[in-house]
Amino acid sequence: MKIILAQPRGFCAGVVRAVNTVERALQQFGTPVYVLHEIVHNQHVVDDLRTKGARFVENLKEVPPNAVTIFSAHGVSKEVENEARDRGLQVLDATCPLVTKVHNHGRQYAVRGYQVILVGEPDHPEVIGTLGQIPARVVVVQTKAQVATLGFTRNMPLAYITQTTLCVDDTRAVVEALKRRYPRIIGPDTRDICYAVQNRQTAVRELSQHVDVVLVIGSPQSANSVTLRDIAAQAGKPSYLIADGSAVRSEWFDDKSTIGITAGASTPEVMVDDVLNALKRIAPLEIENLPGREEHVHFRLPDGLIARQ
Protein backbone atom coordinates (compact mmCIF):
# COMPACT_ATOMS: atom_id res chain seq x y z
CA MET A 1 0.00 0.00 0.00
CA LYS A 2 1.40 3.38 -1.01
CA ILE A 3 0.80 6.25 1.42
CA ILE A 4 1.12 9.89 0.40
CA LEU A 5 1.14 12.41 3.25
CA ALA A 6 -0.16 15.93 2.59
CA GLN A 7 2.07 18.89 3.36
CA PRO A 8 1.22 20.86 5.41
CA ARG A 9 -1.04 18.93 7.75
CA GLY A 10 -1.88 18.87 11.45
CA PHE A 11 -1.19 21.49 14.10
CA CYS A 12 -1.20 25.15 13.08
CA ALA A 13 0.52 27.95 14.97
CA GLY A 14 -2.68 28.95 16.78
CA VAL A 15 -3.25 25.42 18.06
CA VAL A 16 0.41 25.07 19.09
CA ARG A 17 0.06 28.33 21.05
CA ALA A 18 -3.16 27.19 22.74
CA VAL A 19 -1.85 23.77 23.75
CA ASN A 20 1.45 25.24 24.93
CA THR A 21 -0.49 27.79 26.98
CA VAL A 22 -2.19 25.03 28.96
CA GLU A 23 0.99 23.00 29.38
CA ARG A 24 3.05 26.02 30.44
CA ALA A 25 0.32 27.15 32.86
CA LEU A 26 0.34 23.73 34.51
CA GLN A 27 4.12 23.94 34.91
CA GLN A 28 4.03 27.52 36.22
CA PHE A 29 0.96 27.43 38.48
CA GLY A 30 0.50 23.74 39.22
CA THR A 31 -2.74 21.80 39.06
CA PRO A 32 -5.48 22.38 38.44
CA VAL A 33 -5.86 25.05 35.79
CA TYR A 34 -9.30 25.59 34.30
CA VAL A 35 -10.00 25.78 30.57
CA LEU A 36 -13.24 27.28 29.31
CA HIS A 37 -14.52 24.89 26.60
CA GLU A 38 -12.26 22.50 24.69
CA ILE A 39 -8.94 24.25 24.14
CA VAL A 40 -9.08 23.00 20.52
CA HIS A 41 -11.47 20.63 18.76
CA ASN A 42 -9.58 17.37 19.24
CA GLN A 43 -10.55 14.84 21.88
CA HIS A 44 -7.09 13.27 22.07
CA VAL A 45 -5.52 16.67 22.81
CA VAL A 46 -8.17 17.45 25.43
CA ASP A 47 -7.82 14.04 27.11
CA ASP A 48 -4.02 14.37 27.22
CA LEU A 49 -4.23 17.78 28.87
CA ARG A 50 -6.86 16.50 31.29
CA THR A 51 -4.51 13.74 32.48
CA LYS A 52 -1.87 16.43 33.12
CA GLY A 53 -4.20 18.38 35.40
CA ALA A 54 -6.32 20.64 33.20
CA ARG A 55 -10.01 20.85 34.03
CA PHE A 56 -12.36 21.69 31.19
CA VAL A 57 -15.55 23.58 32.02
CA GLU A 58 -18.44 24.94 29.99
CA ASN A 59 -19.28 27.83 32.31
CA LEU A 60 -17.16 30.17 34.42
CA LYS A 61 -19.45 29.43 37.37
CA GLU A 62 -17.66 26.06 37.57
CA VAL A 63 -14.33 27.83 38.22
CA PRO A 64 -13.31 28.60 41.83
CA PRO A 65 -12.56 32.25 42.71
CA ASN A 66 -9.04 33.44 41.79
CA ALA A 67 -8.27 30.27 39.83
CA VAL A 68 -6.08 30.21 36.73
CA THR A 69 -8.48 30.20 33.79
CA ILE A 70 -7.66 29.75 30.10
CA PHE A 71 -9.86 30.86 27.22
CA SER A 72 -9.81 28.46 24.27
CA ALA A 73 -8.34 29.15 20.83
CA HIS A 74 -11.81 29.89 19.47
CA GLY A 75 -12.22 33.07 21.53
CA VAL A 76 -14.95 34.27 23.91
CA SER A 77 -17.38 37.15 24.19
CA LYS A 78 -16.85 40.43 26.05
CA GLU A 79 -19.47 39.23 28.52
CA VAL A 80 -17.31 36.23 29.40
CA GLU A 81 -14.20 38.43 29.69
CA ASN A 82 -16.05 40.80 32.04
CA GLU A 83 -17.41 37.95 34.16
CA ALA A 84 -13.89 36.53 34.56
CA ARG A 85 -12.57 39.93 35.59
CA ASP A 86 -15.41 40.54 38.07
CA ARG A 87 -14.77 37.16 39.70
CA GLY A 88 -11.04 37.86 40.02
CA LEU A 89 -10.01 34.93 37.83
CA GLN A 90 -6.42 34.82 36.65
CA VAL A 91 -7.03 34.71 32.90
CA LEU A 92 -4.68 33.45 30.20
CA ASP A 93 -6.23 34.20 26.82
CA ALA A 94 -5.31 31.50 24.28
CA THR A 95 -7.57 32.96 21.56
CA CYS A 96 -5.84 32.49 18.22
CA PRO A 97 -4.38 35.84 17.10
CA LEU A 98 -6.06 35.40 13.72
CA VAL A 99 -9.44 35.13 15.46
CA THR A 100 -8.60 38.25 17.45
CA LYS A 101 -7.88 39.98 14.12
CA VAL A 102 -11.46 39.21 13.03
CA HIS A 103 -12.77 40.63 16.33
CA ASN A 104 -10.82 43.83 15.72
CA HIS A 105 -12.12 44.18 12.16
CA GLY A 106 -15.70 43.69 13.34
CA ARG A 107 -15.42 46.25 16.12
CA GLN A 108 -13.84 48.80 13.81
CA TYR A 109 -16.63 48.41 11.25
CA ALA A 110 -19.32 48.68 13.93
CA VAL A 111 -17.79 51.83 15.47
CA ARG A 112 -17.70 53.42 12.00
CA GLY A 113 -21.44 52.84 11.63
CA TYR A 114 -21.47 49.80 9.35
CA GLN A 115 -23.96 46.99 9.69
CA VAL A 116 -21.70 43.96 10.13
CA ILE A 117 -22.39 40.65 8.37
CA LEU A 118 -20.46 37.63 9.65
CA VAL A 119 -19.93 34.78 7.19
CA GLY A 120 -19.79 31.67 9.33
CA GLU A 121 -21.47 28.74 11.06
CA PRO A 122 -23.97 30.14 13.61
CA ASP A 123 -23.32 27.52 16.29
CA HIS A 124 -19.52 27.41 16.01
CA PRO A 125 -17.72 28.61 19.18
CA GLU A 126 -15.62 31.05 17.15
CA VAL A 127 -18.74 32.69 15.71
CA ILE A 128 -20.43 32.86 19.12
CA GLY A 129 -17.33 34.51 20.59
CA THR A 130 -17.05 36.94 17.68
CA LEU A 131 -20.69 38.00 18.00
CA GLY A 132 -20.01 38.81 21.63
CA GLN A 133 -16.97 40.91 20.78
CA ILE A 134 -18.77 43.39 18.50
CA PRO A 135 -20.79 46.17 20.22
CA ALA A 136 -23.61 46.13 17.68
CA ARG A 137 -26.09 43.78 16.03
CA VAL A 138 -24.35 41.33 13.68
CA VAL A 139 -26.11 39.20 11.07
CA VAL A 140 -24.69 35.71 10.43
CA VAL A 141 -24.93 34.14 6.96
CA GLN A 142 -23.53 30.77 5.95
CA THR A 143 -24.71 30.26 2.35
CA LYS A 144 -25.38 32.14 -0.87
CA ALA A 145 -29.08 31.32 -0.44
CA GLN A 146 -29.11 33.15 2.89
CA VAL A 147 -27.57 36.21 1.25
CA ALA A 148 -30.61 36.37 -1.03
CA THR A 149 -32.90 36.67 2.02
CA LEU A 150 -31.16 39.70 3.54
CA GLY A 151 -33.40 42.74 3.76
CA PHE A 152 -30.83 45.54 3.74
CA THR A 153 -31.12 48.34 1.20
CA ARG A 154 -28.43 48.63 -1.45
CA ASN A 155 -27.22 51.97 -0.09
CA MET A 156 -26.99 50.89 3.55
CA PRO A 157 -23.41 50.93 4.88
CA LEU A 158 -22.50 47.24 5.14
CA ALA A 159 -19.30 45.40 6.04
CA TYR A 160 -18.51 41.70 6.25
CA ILE A 161 -16.09 39.59 8.28
CA THR A 162 -15.52 35.83 8.11
CA GLN A 163 -15.00 32.88 10.40
CA THR A 164 -11.35 31.82 10.08
CA THR A 165 -11.85 28.09 9.63
CA LEU A 166 -14.27 27.96 6.68
CA CYS A 167 -13.75 26.47 3.25
CA VAL A 168 -12.02 29.19 1.24
CA ASP A 169 -14.00 28.50 -1.95
CA ASP A 170 -17.36 28.43 -0.16
CA THR A 171 -16.56 31.64 1.71
CA ARG A 172 -15.43 33.36 -1.49
CA ALA A 173 -18.74 32.37 -3.12
CA VAL A 174 -20.75 33.88 -0.24
CA VAL A 175 -18.66 37.06 -0.29
CA GLU A 176 -19.13 37.36 -4.05
CA ALA A 177 -22.89 36.97 -3.57
CA LEU A 178 -22.80 39.76 -0.99
CA LYS A 179 -20.88 42.00 -3.37
CA ARG A 180 -23.30 41.34 -6.22
CA ARG A 181 -26.30 42.22 -4.07
CA TYR A 182 -24.60 45.06 -2.20
CA PRO A 183 -21.90 46.55 -4.48
CA ARG A 184 -20.82 49.07 -1.83
CA ILE A 185 -20.17 46.48 0.89
CA ILE A 186 -16.66 46.50 2.33
CA GLY A 187 -14.61 43.82 4.08
CA PRO A 188 -11.28 42.01 4.21
CA ASP A 189 -10.04 39.86 1.37
CA THR A 190 -10.80 36.14 1.70
CA ARG A 191 -7.03 35.77 2.11
CA ASP A 192 -7.73 36.84 5.69
CA ILE A 193 -9.16 33.38 6.29
CA CYS A 194 -6.59 31.55 8.41
CA TYR A 195 -3.39 30.89 6.43
CA ALA A 196 -3.21 27.36 7.89
CA VAL A 197 -6.75 26.54 6.78
CA GLN A 198 -5.99 27.75 3.26
CA ASN A 199 -2.72 25.82 3.11
CA ARG A 200 -4.33 22.57 4.24
CA GLN A 201 -7.18 22.97 1.79
CA THR A 202 -4.77 23.61 -1.07
CA ALA A 203 -2.72 20.57 -0.02
CA VAL A 204 -5.70 18.20 0.10
CA ARG A 205 -6.83 19.34 -3.36
CA GLU A 206 -3.40 18.48 -4.71
CA LEU A 207 -3.29 15.23 -2.72
CA SER A 208 -6.61 14.14 -4.21
CA GLN A 209 -5.07 14.20 -7.70
CA HIS A 210 -2.54 11.52 -6.77
CA VAL A 211 -4.44 8.97 -4.65
CA ASP A 212 -7.35 6.53 -4.77
CA VAL A 213 -8.80 7.34 -1.34
CA VAL A 214 -8.26 10.10 1.25
CA LEU A 215 -8.15 9.79 5.03
CA VAL A 216 -8.62 13.02 6.98
CA ILE A 217 -7.55 12.70 10.61
CA GLY A 218 -9.48 15.01 12.88
CA SER A 219 -12.58 15.53 14.98
CA PRO A 220 -16.09 15.78 13.53
CA GLN A 221 -16.42 18.91 15.71
CA SER A 222 -13.46 20.48 13.88
CA ALA A 223 -14.82 22.70 11.08
CA ASN A 224 -11.54 22.71 9.18
CA SER A 225 -11.23 18.90 9.36
CA VAL A 226 -14.76 18.41 8.04
CA THR A 227 -13.96 20.82 5.19
CA LEU A 228 -10.86 18.81 4.23
CA ARG A 229 -12.97 15.67 3.98
CA ASP A 230 -15.56 17.51 1.88
CA ILE A 231 -12.92 18.90 -0.50
CA ALA A 232 -11.53 15.42 -1.14
CA ALA A 233 -15.04 14.11 -1.76
CA GLN A 234 -15.75 16.95 -4.19
CA ALA A 235 -12.61 15.91 -6.05
CA GLY A 236 -14.30 12.56 -6.66
CA LYS A 237 -12.29 10.50 -4.18
CA PRO A 238 -13.70 8.32 -1.40
CA SER A 239 -12.83 10.25 1.76
CA TYR A 240 -13.17 9.40 5.43
CA LEU A 241 -12.90 11.61 8.53
CA ILE A 242 -11.39 9.57 11.35
CA ALA A 243 -10.17 10.46 14.84
CA ASP A 244 -7.42 7.83 15.05
CA GLY A 245 -6.27 4.44 13.86
CA SER A 246 -9.09 2.58 15.61
CA ALA A 247 -11.53 3.93 13.01
CA VAL A 248 -9.62 2.51 10.01
CA ARG A 249 -11.53 -0.16 8.05
CA SER A 250 -9.70 -2.51 5.69
CA GLU A 251 -12.63 -2.66 3.26
CA TRP A 252 -12.06 1.01 2.38
CA PHE A 253 -8.94 -0.04 0.50
CA ASP A 254 -10.21 -2.95 -1.60
CA ASP A 255 -8.76 -2.45 -5.11
CA LYS A 256 -7.18 0.82 -3.96
CA SER A 257 -3.41 0.92 -3.77
CA THR A 258 -2.62 4.59 -3.09
CA ILE A 259 -3.89 6.24 0.08
CA GLY A 260 -3.70 9.97 0.82
CA ILE A 261 -3.53 11.18 4.41
CA THR A 262 -3.98 14.65 5.82
CA ALA A 263 -4.91 16.04 9.24
CA GLY A 264 -6.90 19.00 10.49
CA ALA A 265 -5.26 22.00 12.12
CA SER A 266 -6.07 20.72 15.62
CA THR A 267 -4.78 17.18 15.05
CA PRO A 268 -1.41 16.21 16.59
CA GLU A 269 1.10 14.31 14.47
CA VAL A 270 0.94 11.39 16.92
CA MET A 271 -2.55 10.67 15.54
CA VAL A 272 -1.11 10.46 12.02
CA ASP A 273 1.38 7.92 13.36
CA ASP A 274 -1.48 6.01 14.98
CA VAL A 275 -3.32 5.77 11.65
CA LEU A 276 -0.14 4.66 9.87
CA ASN A 277 0.33 1.90 12.45
CA ALA A 278 -3.24 0.74 11.82
CA LEU A 279 -2.61 0.66 8.07
CA LYS A 280 0.58 -1.35 8.60
CA ARG A 281 -1.57 -4.11 10.08
CA ILE A 282 -3.44 -4.27 6.77
CA ALA A 283 -0.51 -4.21 4.34
CA PRO A 284 3.15 -3.20 4.10
CA LEU A 285 3.48 0.54 3.54
CA GLU A 286 5.51 2.68 1.20
CA ILE A 287 5.32 6.25 2.56
CA GLU A 288 6.14 9.51 0.84
CA ASN A 289 5.46 13.18 1.52
CA LEU A 290 3.73 15.30 -1.11
CA PRO A 291 5.70 18.53 -1.58
CA GLY A 292 3.81 21.54 -0.29
CA ARG A 293 3.99 24.90 1.42
CA GLU A 294 6.21 25.05 4.50
CA GLU A 295 4.88 27.03 7.47
CA HIS A 296 7.11 29.09 9.74
CA VAL A 297 4.51 31.04 11.73
CA HIS A 298 4.94 31.32 15.50
CA PHE A 299 2.67 33.17 17.94
CA ARG A 300 3.82 34.58 21.26
CA LEU A 301 2.28 33.00 24.36
CA PRO A 302 -0.32 35.01 26.31
CA ASP A 303 0.66 37.61 28.89
CA GLY A 304 0.99 36.10 32.36
CA LEU A 305 3.20 33.19 31.40
CA ILE A 306 6.88 33.32 32.22
CA ALA A 307 9.10 32.78 29.20
CA ARG A 308 11.03 29.52 29.40
CA GLN A 309 14.68 30.17 30.22
Side-chain angles (χ1 to χ4, degrees), residues 9 43 46 115 120 122 125 132 149 187 197 247 262 265 271 285 289 296:
R9 63 181 181 274
Q43 195 60 49
V46 170
Q115 166 64 56
T149 68
V197 166
T262 189
M271 290 298 100
L285 303 184
N289 283 282
H296 303 286

Side-chain angles (χ1 to χ4, degrees), residues 4 22 89 102 131 152 175 190 203 223 278 281 291:
I4 303 180
V22 179
L89 302 180
V102 174
L131 293 175
F152 305 122
V175 169
T190 49
R281 292 191 285 271

Side-chain angles (χ1 to χ4, degrees), residues 196-213:
V197 166
Q198 294 190 62
N199 290 346
R200 280 151 189 73
Q201 291 177 16
T202 298
V204 80
R205 285 190 184 92
E206 177 65 22
L207 180 70
S208 299
Q209 305 307 309
H210 302 276
V211 300
D212 302 314
V213 61

Side-chain angles (χ1 to χ4, degrees), residues 55-75:
R55 296 186 183 177
F56 293 88
V57 299
E58 291 302 314
N59 193 299
L60 288 182
K61 292 180 175 60
E62 302 174 56
V63 182
N66 306 313
V68 175
T69 306
I70 299 171
F71 295 155
S72 80
H74 305 107

